[in-house]
Amino acid sequence: MSSPESDKNSLQGDAKTPEEINHEVGEILSEIYIDPEKEAAVLKKFDKFVLPVSVVFLVLSSLDQNNMGNARVFGFDKDIGLKDGQFGNITLLANVCTIVFEVPWVLAVKRFGANKPLGAALILWSFCTLGTAFIQTYHQAIAVRMLLNSFEAGLAQSFAYLFSTIYPPSLIGKRIMSTNLAMCISGAFGGLFAYAVQTMGTQRGLAAWRWLFIVEFCVTIFVGALGLLCLPKTAETAWFLNDEEKEIMRLKRDRDFLRRGEEKFERKWIKIALTDPFVYLLGIAFFTSSVSINGFNVFLPTILSGLGFPSLSVNYLTIPVYVLGLISLVIQVYFSDRISRRGVFIIGCCVPVVIGYLICVGSASGAAGYTGMFILVLGLYPISTLAVTWISINLQPDSKRAIGMPIAYSIANLSSLVSSQLYPSQQGPRYITGNAVSAGLTVVAGFLYASCWVLLKRRNQKKAKLLAEGATTNGLEGDMSLDTMYSL
């Protein structure tokens, strides 16, 4: 009996178009049977070994970003002589590096596997974190933070891509959720961590904010290195799988051939990804909604301080906000996966974000502003998780996904160039302009996400019409072919 691989090779030897080959390959590979219980057991192993590592890596990365806000409360601006707007410039230029290096990091994971690129990123950004503790001038701050963001750039997207090679679409959302789960954890416990460090005061001639980054470096290099040992190169060669389980993952890859494509990166998908309107429409939608996310994550301590809360209180007042955000994130992603719908949840999440920011705009009361943060966070984190999930399950195969996902994410991260300028200290304590812009762009985001839904809905309708007419191909490949339908 011939193997699926040999069947694919024989089909590729015929004088047929790529889409006809894919259609026939799909019919062959759909007959591959994998015991559901054994497959579920293998996926649980990835949950045990890989998922916690992603959370740890992302918590450490997010902690570093959030601690820049805490460092300002501790006197960062004054100690290195920052003037109005210069902190925003540091954040802006660092985020430019994030945008530039996102695609290369994901392609590195596709080319070399997960362990080597992500391991290198961890070590390099750890030493940049340490370097942050010893900066003395504005220009040193720019250089160190630009380097750090270059090394952290593709972290979230790389894990999202890795999960797309392991889990089926119906389960991937709960794993991609680890990105924002990490943000909530780092936000909550980062406040406690920062509070504890601040109580140290000046030690050995170093200000509290400098110790914040020194301690963070020690934690990152130790805990992250332990986590690095758990990362596999690929899903099919994971060190924690036995021979039977590795064979199950290889069969799973064959079975999912139409979604995954060839193991080797195919350059033709670069053009296909770059010319797919969905990549740009979702990226722009993600951009408009991410302004509020970036502003919230980086400037929440500054906002609370500006609303009149003392500096020591700021750190623990952020904790319940992040905890509520975590609860909302878990609930909405769970039900989104369960009913296989993304668009309606994303659009709905825009509503509390707008309401929360408008409360901050409309009232000078510190209590009202703090309440607005609780309302806002109900929708803040699910939006980005669901957006990344939406594009990861709708771009096929892996080669297209490795290009399209980070491109959309890079467009979204342009928002950091906007949000970094929205909360200059001279506009405190209410930051009316920043909060108003965040609210307005979230409204725009709701309409753009709705446009994404309409685009995919129309594509599905066209495919359904052709199939009803008896067509077997529409002359397209990957997710654009008749072999798949888009998830709405």
Side-chain angles (χ1 to χ4, degrees):
M1 180 177 178
S2 62
S3 68
E5 189 64 34
S6 64
D7 286 331
K8 283 189 287 183
N9 291 337
S10 66
L11 284 169
Q12 289 170 347
D14 296 336
K16 298 178 180 179
T17 63
E19 60 272 11
E20 289 173 332
I21 293 173
N22 283 344
H23 181 76
E24 295 183 17
V25 167
E27 292 181 345
I28 294 170
L29 297 180
S30 64
E31 298 176 2
I32 293 177
Y33 175 77
I34 302 174
D35 187 319
E37 292 186 1
K38 290 184 177 181
E39 182 177 356
V42 174
L43 294 181
K44 284 182 180 179
K45 278 200 169 184
F46 283 98
D47 285 342
K48 179 180 178 181
F49 288 98
V50 177
L51 193 57
V53 175
S54 73
V55 174
V56 168
F57 272 48
L58 291 163
V59 164
L60 294 172
S61 173
S62 184
L63 186 65
D64 177 80
Q65 299 299 326
N66 289 342
N67 275 342
M68 285 301 289
N70 291 318
R72 296 190 78 187
V73 176
F74 295 0
F76 174 86
D77 290 21
K78 180 180 178 181
D79 286 355
I80 67 171
L82 295 187
K83 300 177 182 178
D84 290 342
Q86 287 187 328
F87 180 83
N89 294 337
I90 294 170
T91 305
L92 185 149
L93 292 171
N95 286 327
V96 168
C97 292
T98 298
I99 295 164
V100 170
F101 287 97
E102 281 174 328
V103 174
W105 277 113
V106 177
L107 289 177
V109 170
K110 167 71 175 170
R111 171 65 178 83
F112 300 106
N115 52 358
K116 291 180 181 179
L118 293 176
L122 172 79
I123 294 170
L124 292 169
W125 103 60
S126 296
F127 281 97
C128 288
T129 298
L130 181 62
T132 305
F134 297 99
I135 56 178
Q136 301 292 333
T137 67
Y138 170 55
H139 292 98
Q140 289 174 4
I142 289 175
V144 171
R145 300 307 290 186
M146 286 181 72
L147 284 172
L148 184 142
N149 278 37
S150 298
F151 301 136
E152 286 185 342
L155 195 62
Q157 303 90 296
S158 293
F159 276 114
Y161 172 79
L162 178 62
F163 294 149
S164 73
T165 68
I166 298 172
Y167 300 96
S170 60
L171 299 177
I172 194 174
K174 290 187 284 291
R175 278 72 185 184
I176 290 179
M177 179 178 68
S178 61
T179 300
N180 282 331
L181 186 66
M183 289 183 182
C184 294
I185 293 172
S186 68
F189 292 98
L192 286 173
F193 172 63
Y195 180 86
V197 172
Q198 186 176 13
T199 60
M200 292 169 49
T202 301
Q203 298 288 330
R204 298 181 181 276
L206 297 177
W209 68 264
R210 297 184 186 276
W211 282 107
L212 192 63
F213 292 105
I214 293 171
V215 175
E216 185 186 333
F217 162 77
C218 295
V219 173
T220 301
I221 204 70
F222 177 72
V223 178
L226 291 178
L228 180 60
L229 298 176
C230 295
L231 276 180
K233 180 178 180 180
T234 65
E236 296 78 29
T237 60
W239 63 269
F240 48 80
L241 300 181
N242 59 38
D243 290 340
E244 181 184 11
E245 290 166 338
K246 289 178 181 178
E247 180 60 22
I248 287 173
M249 291 305 293
R250 283 191 287 269
L251 286 173
K252 182 177 177 295
R253 199 191 195 294
D254 281 341
R255 185 192 64 192
D256 299 340
F257 176 75
L258 292 180
R259 185 172 71 87
R260 299 286 310 280
E262 299 288 349
E263 288 190 47
K264 184 178 179 181
F265 181 77
E266 298 178 276
R267 297 178 66 87
K268 67 178 181 180
W269 292 105
I270 297 176
K271 180 179 179 180
I272 295 174
L274 291 175
T275 54
D276 188 342
F278 175 62
V279 171
Y280 298 99
L281 186 57
L282 188 132
I284 295 170
F286 201 179
F287 161 80
T288 53
S289 64
S290 293
V291 170
S292 60
I293 297 172
N294 290 331
F296 178 86
N297 287 335
V298 177
F299 295 105
L300 177 60
T302 307
I303 292 169
L304 290 174
S305 179
L307 289 172
F309 296 106
S311 60
L312 286 177
S313 299
V314 166
N315 293 301
Y316 63 75
L317 283 171
T318 63
I319 295 171
V321 180
Y322 283 110
V323 170
L324 180 61
L326 186 151
I327 294 170
S328 177
L329 171 66
V330 171
I331 291 173
Q332 296 198 59
V333 171
Y334 171 81
F335 283 104
S336 173
D337 270 359
R338 184 163 186 173
I339 66 173
S340 297
R341 291 291 183 271
R342 319 294 169 183
V344 64
F345 283 91
I346 298 176
I347 296 166
C349 284
C350 292
V351 176
V353 176
V354 172
I355 293 172
Y357 273 122
L358 289 180
I359 289 174
C360 295
V361 171
S363 175
S365 166
Y370 190 45
T371 301
M373 295 294 101
F374 281 95
I375 296 173
L376 179 153
V377 83
L378 292 173
L380 192 75
Y381 290 120
I383 292 176
S384 57
T385 292
L386 294 171
V388 175
T389 302
W390 208 9
I391 194 167
S392 71
I393 62 178
N394 280 320
L395 295 185
Q396 301 175 20
D398 287 356
S399 293
K400 181 179 180 181
R401 191 180 305 114
I403 295 291
M405 269 182 57
I407 286 176
Y409 219 114
S410 294
I411 294 172
N413 277 332
L414 289 170
S415 61
S416 60
L417 308 185
V418 177
S419 60
S420 64
Q421 303 296 316
L422 287 182
Y423 295 92
S425 57
Q426 66 268 25
Q427 292 188 9
R430 291 178 61 188
Y431 301 99
I432 293 176
T433 300
N435 292 331
V437 171
S438 293
L441 287 177
T442 304
V443 172
V444 174
F447 285 101
L448 290 173
Y449 283 120
S451 300
C452 291
W453 186 90
V454 170
L455 173 65
L456 297 183
K457 179 73 173 178
R458 288 181 175 176
R459 287 184 178 182
N460 281 349
Q461 289 173 340
K462 290 180 180 179
K463 290 184 181 184
K465 182 180 179 181
L466 288 173
L467 291 170
E469 293 171 351
T472 58
T473 179
N474 59 356
L476 302 174
E477 299 180 73
D479 56 83
M480 303 288 284
S481 73
L482 297 183
D483 296 305
T484 62
M485 288 290 180
Y486 292 101
S487 173
L488 302 178

